[in-house]
Amino acid sequence: MPIQQISGCIGCEACVKSCPTDVIRMNRGTNKAEIRYPEDCQICHLCRLNCPVGAIKITPEKSIPVMVSWR
Amino acid sequence: MSTPSLSRRQFMGVAGGLAGAMALASLNFDAPAQINKPKISADDFKQDQREVDVLVIGGGMAGLFAAVKAHDAGARVLMVSKGRVGSSGLTPFAKGIFSYDRKKASMSIDDFVAKVSESAIQTNNPVFTRQLAEHSYDRVQELKSWGFFDSPIYHESFMRPINERRISVDERIMITHLLKEDGRVVGASGFMLDEKRIIHYLAKSVILCTGSGGFKPNGFPVCDLTHDGTIMAYKVGAKVTGKEWNDGHPGSAKNSGSSYDNWHGQVEEKPSTTEVTINHHLGVDLNYQAYTQGAPVMMGPPGDDQDRGSAVENAGPFVPEAFRHSAPPPPPQQGGLRGLFAGKGHSGPPGMGGEQVGGSSAGMAIHKSEGLVPINEQGLSTLPGLYAAGDALGSYMSGGIYTQIGSSLAGSAVQGAIAGEAAAKESLKLTGGVTVSNEQIERVSTEMLAPLKRERGYSPAWVTQVLQGVMIPNFVLYIKKERMMLGALAYVEELREHHVPMLLADDLHALRLAHETENMVITAEMKLKASLMRKESRCSHYRLDCPDIDYENWQAWINIWQDEKGQMQLEKQPFDMWPKFATA
Ligand SMILES: Cc1cc2nc3c(=O)[nH]c(=O)nc-3n(C[C@H](O)[C@H](O)[C@H](O)COP(=O)(O)OP(=O)(O)OC[C@H]3O[C@@H](n4cnc5c(N)ncnc54)[C@H](O)[C@@H]3O)c2cc1C
Ligand code: SF4
Ligand code: SF4
């Protein structure tokens, strides 16, 4: 998983706004952020750096296969 | 395979397809196809219209200065971005900004421009190179006064001058179309990512600050950018350039998909300034090394002999004599990126230590070498009413290779400011409002929402993966030869002709992806056609089948545009000439 877990969210929406690839959305029912489109996460950590309470956990592996120029 | 009934082109397609198919074999497409059942209906979108003097599209470094300077020149300005200001595009990740300080610089501006041209093998446009040196210091001072250097996160310092001036900002809006009336660009349309609403922005002039783009590659934070501005402009008739060049940033073999790890956490650093140090780097040397010798590929610190692929002496991409360092260049006196990387626990940008893989920024060229063709030094495009700045402008400030660390960020600031002021002055001269026909508004809205309305078709994620499989292999995008490029082109044309018109979306996120996917496919076609046309090798464009520089025929850039029949056209643009302005 790329962005892996959100726990302890206070619902400020900073991560939703600061994610360049629109991975995170607010759950209007719980008023907490949730990971909606993890396959589009570029693992850049902007959401984590913008979260005021350190609620976001990110791991370095992609959730979809990775295409590179050689291996 | 040499069935006589196949044309040469078709045969190449089959042959090249083999490689694409093999590359694809490593991907798995598990989701079965389904009838598209949109979670939202395309029929009840609300529509808004807003009118301003100057519309700035993009909230990175170029957009910031374009908006501020257009406002200061007296225009009513609105900035719109698909992401957050200072937290989208490439800007949030750049940490070194070039500042040419006349009092302290180690060389004169004339010498700087000459040396950049020498490194870039004349592919740079000296007018923009000089502009960078002349204006960078002032832009850096302004950034300092807004608090830019005080935090690793840029949103707050970017919003300071914007809020002080009460400039309107619309975030999380995906612009998909430019509006054009009687030959003049008069605005842009897009949709909100958070609610079912289309917004049509009418403006006297538009500045594209939409950055660059890529094929949503792995290990470089460019996945939110897909050359949207370039393709929108191309579709309304603007000329674009630079598609044969390649950014050669490698990725790390371990966790290749992580931009953060690949850049060793550099995003957490505060920015700093860089001074004059002219290089010829981050082209396709490593790709050549990997192609000829195979993996694993390692790279030393920049400037070290190893990033030239020293084991392949006298072969591969040509590096001008003066830029073949045998030892790392001396570190700048104080600060600078090198100083930044030397910091505690900081090992710098990718390529510093560890095994490397290629293609981390696939689909992106050298910054400032690709984008709209300018007709003057203000960044006016070939279409009246349309300006571009920063990575969205094919200014060739640096040329077809990276020549000065920190100049990409500085160049976006400098060009944004100049375009902002010019666009404002022009818009203030235009009396009367701007109008767009209902017919155009309707057509644009229909095209925008079409992927939500289709029942059957193809998912943007799948088309993207196919495109990646065809384009990203080292032997297609980087180490080029005609046979492979024709093969890949057959695939890409198929995607454009048959699959793009059937892209599906079931929500607003997927609708964005559908438009981004189309833009990537058209970009891929441009990259292949420009690379086929440029029958020489120079800077970051390398062809195995024509490995030498051709000074006789190729002292030229390549312009690309769409003709009235919708066909992609390519032409040579001599290095020392500006293109003509389209007649309104
Ligand atoms: C990891 C990394 C490190 C780098 N390091 C350096 C460095 O140290 N020094 C240096 O000089 N340069 C560096 N660069 C390059 C530098 O970041 C860019 O050249 C520069 O920031 C480009 O600025 P820009 O404003 O032109 O475009 P961007 O910052 O890319 O901004 C593009 C904007 O356009 C918006 N946009 C795009 N499409 C649409 C659309 N369809 N609708 C609405 N809005 C849209 C985006 O949301 C974004 O706000 C680095 C880049 C990366 C990725
Ligand atoms: S790591 Fe980057 S791309 Fe992934 S969710 Fe966070 S901000 Fe978005
Ligand atoms: S930034 Fe943190 S606290 Fe704010 S919404 Fe996101 S996860 Fe919740």
Side-chain angles (χ1 to χ4, degrees), chain B residues 83-138:
Chain B
R84 193 184 214 190
V85 174
S87 188
S88 52
L90 265 45
T91 294
F93 308 101
K95 298 295 167 172
I97 182 163
F98 178 59
S99 174
Y100 182 90
D101 183 345
R102 282 164 215 264
K103 290 195 218 98
K104 293 198 210 134
S106 57
M107 61 173 85
S108 69
I109 291 191
D110 284 344
D111 289 346
F112 175 77
V113 175
K115 190 115 195 252
V116 167
S117 296
E118 185 190 344
S119 163
I121 320 175
Q122 292 137 55
T123 55
N124 69 311
N125 181 336
V127 171
F128 286 102
T129 313
R130 177 176 297 277
Q131 190 184 68
L132 163 77
E134 284 175 347
H135 296 260
S136 55
Y137 181 81
D138 291 343

Side-chain angles (χ1 to χ4, degrees), chain B residues 57-63 80-86 88-98 173-176 209-212 220-222 224-226 228-229 232 249 263 266 337 341 367-368 389-392 404-410 412 519:
Chain B
I57 312 179
M61 187 58 87
V80 57
S81 170
K82 71 174 167 182
R84 193 184 214 190
V85 174
S88 52
L90 265 45
T91 294
F93 308 101
K95 298 295 167 172
I97 182 163
F98 178 59
I173 290 175
M174 169 78 188
I175 299 291
T176 59
C209 300
T210 39
S212 56
F220 197 88
V222 65
D224 62 328
L225 297 185
T226 45
D228 303 348
M232 270 183 252
H249 274 97
W263 282 80
Q266 190 189 295
L337 265 200
F341 297 148
H367 306 314
K368 316 293 185 282
D391 285 4
Q404 165 67 55
I405 294 178
S407 67
S408 303
L409 198 53
S412 287
N519 295 342

